[in-house]
Amino acid sequence: MSSSSAVIVECVPNFSEGRRRDVIDAIADAIRRTSGCQLLDVDAGHSTNRTVYTFVGPPGPVVEGALNAARAASVAIDMREHTGEHPRMGALDVCPFVPVAGVTMDDCVRCSREFGRRLGEELHVPVFLYEASAHGAALHRRTLPQIREGEYEQLPSKLKQEEWRPDYGPGEFVPRWGATVTGARSPLVAYNVNLLATKQQAHRIALNLREQGRGPKAPGRLKAVKAIGWYLQETDLAQVSMNLTDYKTTPLHVAFEECCREASELSLPVVGSEVVGLLPLEAVLMAAEHYINKESLFVLQESQKVRLVVDRLRLSSVSEFKPEEKIIEYRVGSNKTGPLASGSVRSFVESLGSRTPAPGGGSASACVASMGAALGSMVGLLTYGNKKYENLDGKMRAAIRPLHAAMHSLLPLIDRDTLAFEAYMSALKLPHSTAEEKKRRSEAVLAGLQEAIAVPLELMRVASECWPHLLVLGLHGNITAISDLQVCVCVFVCSSICTHT
């Protein structure tokens, strides 16, 4: 288990019901009632007849939440009556566990295996493992498309084959349930591009783009992408429905623009896109940086970058994209800074003035260095866009960006320095009577020292990178803000000297 204080696993079960509101709500309520679980999103599709739930919590509660949801589904969903656009093989079709904070992929593998074992034993249904949880499995049954091939209708014959013996539960067909796939995977983005087109045209585009393509001899253009085309009666739109299984390999904007290119070749209009479930903030910011660079834009604030992506990808074309509801970090309250940096100025100053050795000079240095970068950014912004200095806009853009970034990157060091000191002091207090205890104590002391040194070194590195941009501001910045720049320089000198000592 990771040493992070926040321990969060994301679970994204997909149930084969998207039309009966009472069933959708019953499954959601089962998750909500599970102690330790926070339900973040319920995304139901009428045409797909499928609902994607997203909830988070520590490993144990998340496994219980998934089991409670499955229990609710077992009395309400009958696969013999199910129809829909989305491929499926079971009432609970797939149930992935995803590491978010303070947990590793191995932790999520353990979650999926515990869930699969208990689901198979309690409900007496076949359960298959996939992705990271299927490590060591035969090559023909590691991915979701492999396991789900033939879907529900082919399960009776499939389960009779030795090579398709389930990992958990009975090796026999359960007509009411079908089968479930569970496993651990990295975060993916479920992303759909909307077209005024037919199902066949949308699927043609999907085949051209998805990594699998039309088969081994005709692969698609986009790596780490699974895709299918379908038609949604409720919106009167066709969609290229994609799973971006590694959004760093194929980012959102690449998937969108490639769909647009394919659609243009077929003279088909693209009328927006949508995200199903939640997505990582990083995926949005990657798209933002793409459009900022492509269009030579000057956008600094995170909220404005998110707004830019919503506009460029037309994410609100079907239903409003609300960042506070769709971006996972915003939903779970994930914060890059700790309690000291996130608190008030008064509380931080009072903590410094208390009778404890931490927070101390290192945290104070990080705080004032961040303030120095903020002052530099302010001077640049007071110059940029000012008619008197409009010939300097290019220079100001180049100076403001790194100073604004430094302002944010220095803030976490306030808490990190305090944590490093506390870890070092705790290591010194470890018992050291036996040879084994001495070894553990020595290793802990060394690790504490390394982190305690790493923090001020990081501060000095960031501060040193700011000096060339401060020089530009000193030579060309708005003269009315010269005193602010002087304070900025003094603060950087002070923080660097204090860090060095």
Side-chain angles (χ1 to χ4, degrees):
M1 190 76 71
S2 168
S3 61
S4 172
S5 57
V7 179
I8 303 174
V9 173
E10 178 188 30
C11 185
V12 194
N14 290 224
F15 287 92
S16 296
E17 178 55 66
R19 297 169 183 169
R20 294 180 292 164
R21 177 50 58 182
D22 58 329
V23 177
I24 295 168
D25 291 344
I27 296 172
D29 289 341
I31 297 170
R32 289 192 187 97
R33 288 195 299 266
T34 305
S35 177
C37 289
Q38 180 185 0
L39 182 62
L40 303 181
D41 190 67
V42 178
D43 198 314
H46 188 275
S47 293
T48 57
N49 201 8
R50 186 181 185 88
T51 299
V52 179
Y53 299 81
T54 305
F55 65 98
V56 295
V62 163
V63 171
E64 290 299 326
L67 286 167
N68 287 337
R71 293 177 186 121
S74 68
V75 299
I77 299 176
D78 188 338
M79 288 302 294
R80 291 170 292 191
E81 302 171 357
H82 185 273
T83 59
E85 290 283 345
H86 201 290
R88 80 284 181 267
M89 65 187 293
L92 170 49
D93 189 52
V94 60
C95 186
F97 294 83
V98 183
V100 174
V103 291
T104 65
M105 186 64 75
D106 286 342
D107 296 324
C108 289
V109 167
R110 285 189 284 272
C111 286
S112 68
R113 289 179 174 171
E114 180 185 353
F115 168 75
R117 176 185 60 79
R118 292 176 61 185
L119 180 71
E121 291 176 355
E122 181 176 331
L123 298 187
H124 307 291
V125 297
V127 181
F128 294 90
L129 294 174
Y130 83 125
E131 295 293 346
S133 301
H135 180 69
L139 293 177
H140 72 278
R141 51 181 291 170
R142 292 187 180 183
T143 69
L144 183 57
Q146 288 175 327
I147 298 170
R148 198 162 56 191
E149 185 177 4
E151 299 187 41
Y152 172 82
E153 287 72 18
Q154 295 300 315
L155 268 179
S157 59
K158 195 171 186 176
L159 288 168
K160 292 177 182 178
Q161 303 171 43
E162 181 62 29
E163 61 266 31
W164 286 107
R165 180 181 295 275
D167 293 286
Y168 302 105
E172 57 190 46
F173 182 54
V174 181
R176 184 180 180 90
W177 183 269
T180 293
V181 183
T182 187
R185 61 162 173 77
S186 299
L188 65 74
V189 179
Y191 180 58
N192 301 334
V193 175
N194 306 321
L195 307 167
L196 297 181
T198 66
K199 173 182 176 178
Q200 291 73 21
Q201 288 169 322
H203 193 59
R204 176 178 170 182
I205 293 174
L207 292 175
N208 289 343
L209 296 182
R210 69 185 188 183
E211 183 172 12
Q212 180 185 354
R214 290 175 167 80
K217 295 182 179 180
R221 292 205 305 275
L222 301 183
K223 299 294 185 183
V225 173
K226 301 172 183 176
I228 188 173
W230 57 41
Y231 195 83
L232 301 182
Q233 295 290 343
E234 62 267 31
T235 58
D236 197 23
L237 292 171
Q239 285 187 327
V240 178
S241 179
M242 294 174 280
N243 277 348
L244 310 183
T245 58
D246 184 347
Y247 62 82
K248 296 179 182 178
T249 298
T250 296
L252 273 174
H253 59 272
V254 172
F256 179 73
E257 292 183 355
E258 286 299 309
C259 277
C260 290
R261 185 166 73 138
E262 288 280 337
S264 177
E265 291 176 0
L266 296 174
S267 299
L268 300 174
V270 173
V271 290
S273 65
E274 66 173 353
V275 171
V276 179
L278 280 71
L279 79 166
L281 175 62
E282 182 184 34
V284 179
L285 297 182
M286 286 174 64
E289 290 305 316
H290 166 75
Y291 289 110
I292 287 170
N293 293 330
K294 179 181 179 181
E295 302 172 29
S296 299
L297 304 176
F298 187 61
V299 183
L300 293 176
Q301 299 295 337
E302 182 175 285
S303 60
Q304 293 179 347
K305 291 180 179 181
V306 172
R307 186 173 181 178
L308 174 67
V309 173
V310 172
D311 177 77
R312 294 298 187 269
L313 300 184
R314 290 173 270 171
L315 290 173
S316 294
S317 58
V318 173
S319 59
E320 183 181 0
F321 181 93
K322 298 179 180 179
E324 67 277 8
E325 296 180 3
K326 300 295 285 184
I327 296 175
I328 189 167
E329 287 86 349
Y330 295 172
R331 287 302 308 272
V332 302
S334 177
N335 198 325
K336 295 178 183 178
T337 58
L340 293 175
S342 299
S344 68
V345 174
R346 176 184 291 276
S347 64
F348 178 62
V349 171
E350 289 178 348
S351 295
L352 283 174
S354 65
R355 194 176 178 179
T356 57
S363 293
S365 295
C367 181
V368 296
S370 179
M371 291 180 179
L375 283 169
S377 176
M378 182 194 77
V379 173
L381 288 169
L382 289 174
T383 309
Y384 176 76
N386 188 319
K387 185 173 179 59
K388 181 178 178 180
Y389 301 99
E390 62 184 354
N391 62 312
L392 297 172
D393 278 358
K395 290 182 181 292
M396 291 302 108
R397 282 191 179 201
I400 294 167
R401 285 185 190 277
L403 292 170
H404 190 268
M407 174 183 74
H408 285 289
S409 64
L410 288 166
L411 280 172
L413 299 186
I414 298 172
D415 287 88
R416 190 176 155 194
D417 183 83
T418 295
L419 291 173
F421 178 81
E422 291 174 346
Y424 174 67
M425 296 304 294
S426 296
L428 291 177
K429 296 175 184 177
L430 290 174
H432 50 282
S433 300
T434 68
E436 182 61 30
E437 287 177 344
K438 288 179 181 178
K439 181 174 181 293
R440 282 200 298 266
R441 179 179 181 273
S442 177
E443 290 173 349
V445 168
L446 178 60
L449 275 174
Q450 288 174 333
E451 176 65 3
I453 294 169
V455 176
L457 284 176
E458 175 67 8
L459 191 156
M460 287 190 286
R461 183 192 66 78
V462 174
S464 68
E465 291 174 353
C466 291
W467 285 112
H469 309 296
L470 296 178
L471 178 61
V472 171
L473 295 177
L475 293 172
H476 305 289
N478 191 325
I479 192 64
T480 62
I482 190 65
S483 62
D484 299 293
L485 187 61
Q486 289 170 335
V487 173
C488 163
V489 170
C490 290
V491 161
F492 264 120
V493 170
C494 177
S495 65
S496 297
I497 291 174
C498 293
T499 299
H500 180 70
T501 57

